[in-house]
Each structure stands twice: as C-alpha cells, then as structure tokens.
Amino acid sequence: MVWFGVLGPLVAEGERGPLALKGPRHRAVLARLLIARGRVVPVDVLVDDLWPDPPGGAVGALQTFVSALRRALEPDRPPRTPAGLLITSGPGYAVRAESVDAWSFEAAVTTPGATLSQVDEALGLWRGPAYAEFADEPWARGEINRLDELRLLAVERRASALLELGRAAEAVPDLEAHVEAWPLREDGWRLLALALYRAGRQGDALGALRRARQVLAAELGVDPGPGLRQAEADILAHAPLAAPVPASHLVGRANELARLASEAATARGGRLRLALISGEAGAGKTALAEAFSAQLAGRGWTTAWGASPDDEGLPAVWPWTRVLGEAVSLDPEPGGDPVAARFHRHRAVAAHLAALGRTSPLLLVFDDLQWAGAETLTLLASVVADPSVRHVLVVGTHRSTDLPATLADFLGRVARAEPTRVYLGGLSAAEAGDLVRATLGHDVPAPTTAAIHRRSGGNPFFVRELARLFDADSDAVVPPGVRDVVRHRLSRLPAATQEVLRRAAVLGRDVDLGLLGTLAGTDVLDDVEAAVRAGFLVEPGPGRVRFAHDLVRDTLYHDLSPTRRARWHAGTGEALERLRPDDVDALAHHFLLAESPAAVRYARLAAERAERRVAPHEAARLWRAALERAGDDVRERLDLIMGLVRALAVTGSLAEAREHRAEAVTLAESLGDPVLTASVLGAFDVPAVWTANDDPELAARIATVVEKTLVALPPARRAERARLLATLALELRTTGGDRGREAAFEAEALARELADPGLLAFALNARFMQAFDRAGLAPERARIGRELVDVASSHGLVTFAVLGHLVLVQAFSALADLPAADTHAAAADRLAEDHDLPLVGVFTQWYRALRASITDDPAAEALFRAAAARLPGTGMTGLEDGILAFALLCHRVQRGESTVDYAGDAPHGLLYEARLSLRAVAAIDAGDVPAMTRLYDALLPAEAELAGAGSGLLTLRPVAFYLGELATALGRPATTHYRQALHLARRCHAPHWIADLEPRT
C-alpha cells in the first residue's frame, strides 16, 4: 500500500517510509496521473502536458520516467511481473491508487452530516497549496482550483458544525479571517453573522451583514442573495437561527452505509455488484444513495445518477441517456429487426460501461425504480447479467410497497445476481431526535422529540415535516397522517405561493422556472424562494427547482380537482408547443392528461419515437392511449391499431394483439383497398411454432379475407402476394388441406425469387406449418428449421432464429437425437435471455420435462406441472388447452403405469403420432382389426421417430414399438420393429424402454 500526498508538495510513502520520486518530470508524470483519479491518460496527452514543444524522443523519455517511477513505487516487485500500481492500459497509463490525501479530504468534506472532528481531521491533511510545485501547469490548474474550493467549503462546514454544537464564539475568529480573504463568498458572511448573533453580539452581526452588502455592491454591483437577506430579517426579528442543513443530510443509517461500502469494495476488486435499497415512501432511500454516492465520488469513483420520472413524459430509457451521453446511440438502424436492435443496444451499453469500469470504478445509481418503464428495467437487467461489465456497482432504490408488475419481474430476473438488499425501516428515538435537531438547527424538548418519533414511526420525511410543524406552532393540532401534515404546513404559506406550488406539481417533480413563470403569468421567483425556505422545494441549479420529496408533489397534485388538473395540463401542453415543439414525449404526456384533441397526434409521434428507440412497451402504452382517444376516421384508427399490434407482437402480448388485429382487418376491408388490406393482413408476421390455432374463428375469418384480397390484388404486387399466401398457410395450419400446402409452397417460391430474407423466413414458417400432412415428416421439418436458423441468423431476424431453433428441438426430439435437441434448446434460451423474449422459455421448459420423461427422471411429473404453470396469460390458448393432462397421460402410458382408453381425434399436427399411437394401443386392447390395420399403415412412415416427441413437449415410446405391437396383434412379423425401437431407446438413454424391449428382440 502506497500513500500519496498532494495537499502540499507531492510525496509518496510506502510501508518503510518516504519513497524517492527522482526528478521534476518524474514527479510531473505521477501528479498528472493522480489528477486523472485512476483513469487512463493516453501517451500523447502526457507528452503534450510534459513538454510545450515535445522533442523527437519524447515518448521514449516518458517510458523511462514511467519505468523509474514503477521501481520507486513498488521496490519489492519481482522482475518481469506486471505493475500493480502504475499500470499500462490501452493507449496510456494510469495509477491505481487506494490512498490519496486529497481523496480522503474530499470524502470527509462532501459526506452529508460530517462531524466537527471529521472536518478538522480533513483540514489537518493540508500541508500547503495543493499540487504546490505544479501551480503553473495548465493540466493541474483545474484540479488545484477544485481542491481550493473544497477547502473553503470545509472551513464553512467547520463553522456550521461549531454552530450546531452551540460553540458560536469559537467560530468567529476563523470566519473573520475567511471573509477577509474571500469577501465574495456570501455563505461565509452569513455564517459570520449567525455566529456573532449567537455569541450575543447582535450589533456586530448586523454590521457584518452591512459590510457584506457594501462589498457585493462595490465589487459586483449586486444585492445580497436570499441567504443573507433571510439572515438579516431573522436577526432583526430575533428569530431562532439555524445553519442550513443540506437536503441530503443523513442521520443514522451507519450500518446501511457500511453494507454499501462493502459492496463497493467487492465491485472495485473486479466484479459487478447490484445493491437494492427499499423502504416505504419517505424512508430516506434517495438520501442514503446520495450520501453513498458522495462518499465514492471522493474516493476516485466515477458516479452517474439516473432519477426515474413517474408520469412526466420522458423517454422510457430515462437514465441511460444521462449515464451514457452520446457514447451509445439509442436509435437503431431504420428498417431493422426491432428485437435484434434492442439486443445490439444492450450489448453496446454493456461494452461502454465495461470500458468505463476499466478506467476507474463506476457507480450507477437508479432512483425510484418503481416508476421505471419496462425498457429501462430490461436494459438494466441485461447489464447486470453481462459478465464483461466489471468494476461497476449498480445501486437501485424502490418503494417496498405496491410493487408494479414490471418491477416485480425485474427483481425476479436479477435474483440470480444475488443483489445486496438494504431495507430502510424507521429511525430510532435517538436518531429521530438528531434529525429534528439537524432540521431545525436547535435543541427541542425531549417530550416533543418523543412525540414526533411516536407519531412518525421514525419515517425520516415524516419526522422533518412534524418538526417544522411543531417549530412553527408548538400548540398545533397535529393531523393524523403525513399527507395531512404536508397540507397543514402548506396552508400556512401565502395564497400566491400555494398557487405556484400547485402549478409546479402539474409540471412534475423537476420544474423549469421559465415554463412555470409562463404558466403562472407572473414572476414566480419570490414564491419559489419562500417554498424553498419552507422546505417544500430544493434548487439543484439555476432556473430549476425540484420538489423536496415525492410526497409533497403527490399531495399537491392529487388535491387538485380533475377539471383543474386537466385544464392546467392543457395549458402546459400549449406552452410547450411554443417553447419546445420537438419535445413530443412531454407534449403527449400533458395533452393525454388534459384529454385534449391534440393528444392523438402527439401520442402517435411519441409512440413512433419509442419504436425507433426500440422501447416496445412504451410504444404500446402510447399507441393504446392514442387509439382510446381517436375519432371515427377509419384510416387514422387503422394506422393506430397497426402501430399497437406491432408493439404488442414484440412484447409478447399475443392475445391483445390478435384482438386488435381482428379490428384492423374489419376496418381495412371496409375501405375496399386491396393493397391496404394486404398490408394489414401481412403485417402480423409473428413466428408460430404450435400447430393448434389459438383463435380458430379469427383464423377462418382471416383466411376468407386473404382469399378475397388475393383475387383483387394487382399482379405486380408480388411481395404482398407472397405475404398473403404465407398468412393463409399459417391461418389454415393443419386444417387447410391442399389449399394450405399450395399457398405455403407458392409463398416460398415467391420469397426466393424476390430474395427477401424476412419474407423467406415468414414463408418458411408457413412451410413448417404445412409439414404435417402425414406421419414421419420430422426430417423435412429439420431441414426447414436449419434453413430458418441460417437465414435468420445471417440477417439479424432474431425471432425467426428462435423459431428455427425450436423447430429443431422438436425435430431432433422426434428423431431421438437428444444432444442435438439440447444444443438448440440452449441456443433458443440464449437468444431469449439476450433479447428479452419470455415466451421462449415456455417451450424449452416443456422440452426439459419431455427429456426427463424419456430418461426416467423421477422429477418428470413435477417438471410437466411446472411447465404448464407458465402457460396461463401467454395468450397461447391453442397450446394450453388440455396439454398438461395429455402430457401426464403419455408419461404414465409409456412407463406402463396407466391403461389406455383413448378414442380421441387424431388431427394432423405436432401431436399426430402420439394420438395415433394411443389409438393403436386402444385398438389392440379392443381387438379392432380394421382399426389396427389403418393405424399400422398410418404410423409406418414414422418408424424412426419417437411417438409425440416431435411436439417438443411430451412423448410416448418409439413409434416402432407400437408398430411391433400392432404387427404382433395382426399376426405379422414384429422383430424388426422392436429392434428399431430398441435402437432408438438406447440412442436416447431410456432405461425403462430398454429393459422392456431387450427380451422382445
């Protein structure tokens, strides 16, 4: 461990004392790298910094300096072993220091609630001007100025700490010197006035304020700011005075901070870690995250913060645009597969974060995850699961009550990362007393703090609100709940200030003062300052204010009547149209809440933007909102419906997508435009892997409309014709006979002629659906599956690539090639994980139950039941209907645990061979020779397959076994069939089948 000192002349100390840093350029290299705080500084930047006019051998000289520094900093490092402190990384060098006095100083000064001893210890680290010997270097000037500013802040925080401890007189001398040296620092003058006043020197306090006014007028030509004006008013009114407490002032939570610090140490060591802070509203989740972020920022970490909007109309990928800046585009290539685009965006984000983590440890804070959209949470879960992202700590905060479904799903997905969960309960009585004192700036009688703690349950926000209420009126009748307390305190503000706050609540949690003033029709600055002083607002920067807590904004907003809310949202939208006409997300938000006629237009524009950003859940919400408010114009409604269907298909909401598709077909037909109707019919190209239709009535209706449209479609529209034919083959599936097969073959031929990969994938899906006209076609379906995978993988068609892998899972299961089926199931799962396709896991989980049934796994029945439990809500009613009972029947029959009484239909499809085999067993038991003869002939082409395994969901024994049983019953030779069955049983390691078949062969 090496300690570096930069708060004065540059020094370094190891375990055995000071280290020799040689000449001025050696020291300059080290100082330049320490200023970078662990980030890599490229060689060309170092050369330019060291030499105003670099000589020819500058790079070689730099390498010599680095080598000498490495020997000095790590004298015990064995030869030819990599450096651990001054490292080479990519295009340059970095110092991976753990102990630097400037970093320790900054951490102590910026930590909310730092004690007097902590500040004193931090100030004691200064041995002279920071980076003293490099004061004239341009590359050092910015860091020197920053550290000097922090030192001045530390002096003022030391004075604040003395005031809080009642030691005002001790603060006066240092503050006098402080304002003499830095006369333009208004907070120094304010603290001096407070210290003088509390030391019993009221006249001197007012004199200090007069001097401040004179200095500011003479030097800058300005009047004192609000802090000084308020201090003067309070002194003249003999009011109890307090040093201002930062909004993020943290009381208690030492254990929670320690747990987060432990996670930071793990992340800094080379892992990605996730920490989740939860608690009820007002528990201090944001304050804890802010305090922790400040600590790490002072220790060389890069920190980034994403505060989630609730209903403020911001893009669904809210934090990432702020965290990543322009480094990663959130807009995909136009015309590409949206699922593939989302995957590539996730990978690009992960790669960028991985690169940031290599230069310095990175903290990402995502506040209020309960408000986050599905796209944000999907992206965050993808990053957390990416093994390439290291040296990164992700902290998320969320309320512990009323979890939305999107957040509950996210928490389940990241459970595998074993996140640290930090729950914030109420503060103890002693901690609540400390918070009351910090909020008000003076001591409060013990009975009062006890009452506040009892009423608040230790909830920090409630504690602060009650403290302010008691401080303003100790005889107040305290309302029963936290929102009532907020209302009670709001009622004490001037009417004009209350009106401004209500208008601000309509704008959202973060408020642009310019927009607020436009809506209020007046200068709102005085009212905003009054609300800041009362603790309802905070000022994160010039021209912007933020509600101090969600509960304040929520109380104001929901106390407005629905009519007033709608009117003010409309006014906000109209103002935004003039001021920020391109902000379609905010415009859609406000006009939708206003139920304005403009809502449809802006919701559509915002939905299209969400689609470009590959945010289908957000797009679906906006398309749906636009559709609900649309009028009777058929073309407009049709356009909105198809937008919604597109988004729903990507999100997997198949049942709702089908419902809207039916409406779209009706509307398109009513217009009598065959080209438009063809585009509507062919737009639903969602891959299909199951042969039973989810909505047979809708399928029949669509097939009828397709046939009519094919007749009316102009001959030149070959691509539209191909899509219509593929759609027809898919809707007819296994019920269309020759017409379905003809349509599939013609669609495939047209797609090949047009050389359109997306169209070919769609046509191959149709061909697959028509490859069930007899038993034994698993090899043909395997060929289709292989081509689907090749075409889709080559052209980024993710959903069709998944379809190809699932088709191959089915085909190889039928052919008893379980290793190949395993490979494709794993490939499908990987694509599903990467691209957030939850329905894929339904099929792969069923396959694993099938596999367990074959290999005599005692958990097979439980696996079937678990797989079936995932079906409700998927919209796949054609698959869900009766499948569990049928799978369990097949499982027990193939094990000899159940008799067969099956006389059901055997329609062509994925379960065809299974149903024929069950009917064969029933026919043998009944001695029905004609039926046995028909079933033998029907099953014979599938002799090399497992009965039912082609479904990828369930299985009976090899078809050859049932052929042997039929042959025996019919008096025909059976040994060849049993040998084939035994071969397949051995191939897929089915011990119970093998034991039964060996005696027969």
Side-chain angles (χ1 to χ4, degrees):
M1 175 68 73
V2 177
W3 174 85
F4 295 95
V6 299
L7 300 179
L10 177 63
V11 294
E13 291 185 9
E15 294 179 356
R16 294 192 290 272
L19 302 175
L21 298 180
K22 293 198 172 182
R25 284 226 162 88
H26 296 76
R27 299 167 65 81
V29 170
L30 180 57
R32 179 64 183 86
L33 294 176
L34 286 171
I35 284 174
R37 288 178 169 251
R39 298 181 180 87
V40 174
V41 181
V43 167
D44 57 347
V45 173
L46 282 169
V47 168
D48 289 341
D49 285 344
L50 288 175
W51 289 279
D53 185 14
V59 173
L62 175 61
Q63 292 170 343
T64 301
F65 301 153
V66 169
S67 296
L69 282 170
R70 284 173 172 163
R71 288 194 297 272
L73 296 175
E74 298 181 84
D76 299 326
R77 179 167 56 90
R80 293 182 296 279
T81 58
L85 190 55
L86 200 169
I87 66 166
T88 301
S89 179
Y93 301 104
V95 170
R96 293 291 165 84
E98 291 288 337
S99 181
V100 181
D101 59 357
W103 301 354
S104 302
F105 168 75
E106 185 174 354
V109 173
T110 57
T111 298
T115 64
L116 177 62
S117 61
Q118 289 173 318
V119 177
D120 280 340
E121 183 179 348
L123 286 168
L125 294 171
W126 285 74
R127 298 169 287 107
Y131 292 96
E133 62 207 276
F134 310 107
D136 295 330
E137 299 289 348
W139 50 265
R141 204 165 295 139
E143 179 67 2
I144 291 171
N145 291 340
R146 193 181 72 85
L147 290 171
D148 286 343
E149 177 65 25
L150 283 173
R151 188 176 185 280
L152 297 177
L153 177 63
V155 170
E156 291 167 359
R157 292 214 166 153
R158 182 179 187 277
S160 295
L162 286 169
L163 290 173
E164 289 185 12
L165 294 171
R167 297 159 60 180
E170 294 179 45
V172 171
D174 285 342
L175 284 169
E176 288 280 14
H178 182 65
V179 298
E180 186 68 27
W182 306 95
L184 301 183
R185 292 183 68 86
E186 292 191 45
D187 212 41
W189 287 106
R190 183 188 65 79
L191 289 166
L192 175 59
L194 292 179
L196 289 166
Y197 177 76
R198 291 189 186 178
R201 299 165 59 181
Q202 178 179 338
D204 290 339
L206 292 171
L209 291 170
R210 281 194 296 274
R211 278 191 289 150
R213 183 183 296 275
Q214 291 165 359
V215 168
L216 292 169
E219 296 290 331
L220 303 176
V222 298
D223 291 328
L228 285 178
R229 295 201 305 272
Q230 185 63 46
E232 185 174 29
D234 287 343
I235 290 171
L236 290 171
H238 298 283
L241 298 175
V245 177
S248 61
H249 187 94
L250 192 68
V251 171
R253 311 305 189 196
N255 292 336
E256 291 83 355
L257 277 171
R259 291 185 63 195
L260 293 173
S262 175
E263 289 301 299
T266 302
R268 188 162 199 159
R271 296 179 59 192
L272 180 142
R273 291 299 299 148
L274 172 64
L276 298 169
I277 304 171
S278 63
E280 64 180 13
K285 302 178 292 295
T286 300
L288 176 62
E290 286 175 342
F292 179 60
S293 179
Q295 282 187 2
L296 292 193
R299 297 173 184 170
W301 284 64
T302 300
T303 62
W305 189 283
S308 178
D310 47 6
D311 53 1
E312 294 168 37
L314 297 180
V317 289
W318 50 270
W320 302 105
T321 54
R322 304 178 190 183
V323 170
L324 302 171
E326 300 299 321
V328 177
S329 172
L330 296 176
D331 294 329
E333 292 294 324
D337 183 334
V339 177
R342 180 165 53 173
F343 167 73
H344 292 306
R345 184 183 68 187
H346 289 189
R347 284 290 178 267
V349 170
H352 182 66
L353 295 179
L356 291 176
R358 285 192 292 272
T359 59
S360 70
L362 175 64
L363 170 69
L364 301 179
V365 181
F366 295 91
D367 201 18
D368 286 329
L369 287 174
Q370 72 274 2
W371 302 126
E375 308 310 325
T376 287
L377 295 175
T378 297
L379 178 51
L380 182 54
S382 174
V383 166
V384 168
D386 194 308
S388 70
V389 182
R390 304 175 66 216
H391 307 287
V392 173
L393 173 60
V394 178
V395 173
T397 75
H398 66 87
R399 292 184 183 176
S400 55
T401 55
D402 302 323
L403 291 183
T406 50
L407 180 56
D409 178 66
F410 166 78
L411 295 177
R413 292 181 62 182
V414 299
R416 285 172 291 178
E418 298 182 349
T420 289
R421 300 180 185 272
V422 178
Y423 175 76
L424 299 186
L427 298 174
S428 68
E431 290 168 340
D434 291 341
L435 182 55
V436 170
R437 198 177 310 75
T439 301
L440 303 179
H442 58 79
D443 289 328
V444 174
T448 301
T449 58
I452 289 173
H453 179 257
R454 186 172 59 254
R455 285 297 301 274
S456 67
N459 179 288
F461 175 76
F462 204 176
V463 167
R464 286 192 295 270
E465 291 300 298
L466 286 171
R468 289 168 176 144
L469 178 61
F470 274 114
D471 194 54
D473 183 359
S474 59
D475 296 325
V477 176
V478 180
V482 62
R483 293 178 189 271
D484 296 315
V485 172
V486 172
R487 293 186 185 100
H488 193 77
R489 291 212 314 112
L490 284 165
S491 69
R492 298 180 174 219
L493 294 174
T497 304
Q498 294 182 50
E499 180 77 357
V500 167
L501 280 173
R502 284 195 289 268
R503 283 192 174 273
V506 171
L507 295 184
R509 284 178 297 162
D510 291 278
V511 180
D512 181 316
L513 289 183
L515 179 59
L516 180 60
T518 299
L519 295 171
T522 184
D523 185 357
V524 298
L525 188 57
D526 288 340
D527 293 306
V528 167
E529 287 178 347
V532 170
R533 287 195 298 273
F536 294 117
L537 298 175
V538 294
E539 292 183 278
R544 295 184 298 115
V545 292
R546 177 184 302 136
F547 280 96
H549 199 279
D550 288 343
L551 288 170
V552 175
R553 189 244 169 174
D554 291 349
T555 300
L556 284 158
Y557 184 80
H558 292 293
D559 282 353
L560 295 172
S561 68
T563 300
R564 187 178 298 276
R565 281 203 300 266
R567 185 173 298 174
W568 284 3
H569 276 298
T572 303
E574 291 161 4
L576 283 171
E577 278 187 310
R578 298 190 300 273
L579 299 171
R580 301 201 297 267
D582 294 331
D583 193 354
V584 296
D585 299 298
L587 285 162
H589 163 72
H590 287 291
F591 281 130
L592 284 169
L593 290 174
E595 299 188 8
S596 162
V600 174
R601 173 176 173 240
Y602 285 112
R604 172 180 175 167
L605 290 171
E608 290 170 345
R609 175 177 289 184
E611 285 187 338
R612 290 194 298 274
R613 287 176 166 160
V614 203
H617 292 88
E618 178 69 4
R621 181 185 72 81
L622 289 161
W623 284 120
R624 193 180 291 111
L627 184 60
E628 289 170 354
R629 292 161 177 79
D632 296 328
D633 184 274
V634 174
R635 288 187 180 272
E636 179 183 63
R637 288 191 64 83
L638 185 57
D639 192 48
L640 297 175
I641 290 169
M642 292 314 296
L644 178 56
V645 169
R646 277 196 310 273
L648 292 172
V650 176
T651 62
S653 303
L654 299 181
E656 188 180 357
R658 281 197 301 272
E659 178 185 334
H660 289 292
R661 187 189 184 202
E663 183 183 356
V665 170
T666 300
L667 289 175
E669 248 199 313
S670 72
L671 293 172
D673 182 343
V675 175
L676 175 63
T677 304
S679 69
V680 170
L681 288 165
F684 193 77
D685 57 356
V686 179
V689 74
W690 192 247
T691 48
N693 215 305
D694 295 320
D695 189 338
E697 290 184 9
L698 175 61
R701 180 168 159 243
I702 288 175
T704 300
V705 177
V706 167
E707 293 283 28
K708 290 167 56 179
T709 307
L710 282 168
V711 173
L713 193 69
R717 297 282 186 169
R718 299 172 72 215
E720 287 91 339
R721 179 174 182 81
R723 282 199 170 272
L724 285 176
L725 288 165
T727 300
L728 180 63
L730 282 163
E731 297 303 334
L732 293 176
R733 302 209 175 184
T734 54
T735 62
D738 291 341
R739 178 54 180 150
R741 286 189 291 279
E742 291 166 2
F745 278 104
E746 187 179 349
E748 181 185 2
L750 279 171
R752 293 189 190 281
E753 290 174 16
L754 294 168
D756 182 334
L759 185 55
L760 178 57
F762 189 34
L764 287 172
N765 194 173
R767 281 278 290 108
F768 164 75
M769 280 297 178
Q770 292 296 328
F772 296 92
D773 49 303
R774 63 174 176 81
L777 288 175
E780 171 66 9
R781 296 195 291 273
R783 185 199 64 75
I784 294 170
R786 280 191 289 267
E787 185 173 7
L788 261 173
V789 170
D790 290 343
V791 170
S793 300
S794 300
H795 296 89
L797 306 173
V798 175
T799 53
F800 282 106
V802 171
L803 172 65
H805 285 299
L806 292 179
V807 167
L808 289 169
V809 168
Q810 296 171 345
F812 284 122
S813 296
L815 297 171
D817 190 348
L818 298 187
D822 291 342
T823 298
H824 290 287
D829 280 334
R830 281 195 301 273
L831 287 171
E833 179 74 20
D834 289 340
H835 297 87
D836 190 33
L837 303 171
L839 296 184
V840 176
V842 173
F843 292 97
T844 55
Q845 188 167 351
W846 271 101
Y847 163 69
R848 291 182 179 96
L850 174 160
R851 201 186 198 292
S853 180
I854 291 173
T855 58
D856 205 20
D857 187 331
E861 288 208 14
L863 290 173
F864 279 124
R865 295 182 190 280
R870 295 185 61 171
L871 283 171
T874 62
M876 296 187 291
T877 52
L879 170 61
E880 184 180 356
D881 187 22
I883 192 64
L884 176 60
F886 192 68
L888 293 176
L889 172 64
C890 291
H891 174 67
R892 292 163 186 166
V893 167
Q894 59 94 0
R895 290 172 55 82
E897 295 175 353
S898 177
T899 57
V900 177
D901 182 12
Y902 183 80
D905 293 336
H908 291 274
L910 282 163
L911 297 175
Y912 183 53
E913 288 87 352
R915 287 171 170 148
L916 287 180
S917 297
L918 289 176
R919 291 181 67 179
V921 175
I924 292 169
D925 290 344
D928 188 340
V929 173
M932 288 189 284
T933 303
R934 289 194 304 272
L935 289 164
Y936 182 90
D937 293 338
L939 281 169
L940 188 59
E943 185 181 20
E945 299 181 15
L946 304 184
S951 65
L953 274 65
L954 54 85
T955 191
L956 289 163
R957 295 188 179 198
V959 171
F961 168 78
Y962 300 105
L963 288 169
E965 298 288 273
L966 287 167
T968 299
L970 291 169
R972 301 178 183 179
T975 303
T976 302
H977 294 311
Y978 287 132
R979 286 175 179 166
Q980 172 71 9
L982 180 59
H983 167 71
L984 293 175
R986 286 172 173 162
R987 186 178 184 187
C988 56
H989 304 289
H992 53 300
W993 298 350
I994 295 170
D996 188 43
L997 285 165
E998 282 180 337
R1000 300 172 187 253
T1001 58

